[in-house]
Amino acid sequence: MKLDHIQLAIPPDSEDLCRAFYCDLLGWAEKPKPAVLAGRGGLWLTSGDAEIHLGVEQDFRPAKKAHPAFLVSELSDLADKLQASGFDPNWDASIPELRRFFLFDAVGNRLEFMQAASAL
């Protein structure tokens, strides 16, 4: 079994805000949604083998605990870039063999970024 994608909820009319965060800041590419789903709003994003679907939820409440985690090769560089853009990485050292931080995306969903153990 292989994970195909994850879905996060976003509030109505927040697609441009999410594009700025996920595409412009993190470098994800927007993937066209199938025509039958395009009218619902939201975004489909891809980076390497990973895919995120951002789906519009009318009664949106950001995920504050549940979160996707992303492996990155240059964790400190990403943290610096996010910090410079107004996003505050919250470093977590509770797993000594893993460097990681959490932050909230442009609409308040929790995300985790970690450096692969082999890169430490």
Side-chain angles (χ1 to χ4, degrees), residues 3-77:
L3 181 66
D4 180 73
H5 69 274
I6 58 161
Q7 180 159 336
L8 295 172
I10 62 172
D13 303 316
S14 65
E15 288 88 351
D16 288 341
L17 186 62
C18 290
R19 270 186 199 97
F21 180 81
Y22 286 95
C23 298
D24 299 342
L25 187 56
L26 295 182
W28 287 66
E30 187 169 354
K31 178 180 175 179
K33 291 178 70 172
V36 68
L37 301 177
R40 298 179 184 178
L43 304 168
W44 284 12
L45 306 166
T46 185
S47 177
D49 290 337
E51 194 167 311
I52 300 175
H53 295 179
L54 302 178
V56 172
E57 191 171 281
Q58 295 302 317
D59 186 25
F60 172 74
R61 284 178 287 150
K64 298 293 186 185
K65 180 70 174 172
H67 62 276
F70 304 103
L71 285 171
V72 297
S73 59
E74 300 296 333
L75 192 65
S76 293
D77 292 345

Side-chain angles (χ1 to χ4, degrees), residues 59-106:
D59 186 25
F60 172 74
R61 284 178 287 150
K64 298 293 186 185
K65 180 70 174 172
H67 62 276
F70 304 103
L71 285 171
V72 297
S73 59
E74 300 296 333
L75 192 65
S76 293
D77 292 345
L78 178 60
D80 291 346
K81 182 178 182 179
L82 289 162
Q83 183 81 46
S85 297
F87 295 92
D88 190 26
N90 180 12
W91 289 92
D92 182 272
S94 60
I95 304 173
E97 62 275 5
L98 188 64
R99 288 191 70 222
R100 66 184 184 155
F101 65 82
F102 295 90
L103 64 77
F104 295 99
D105 72 5

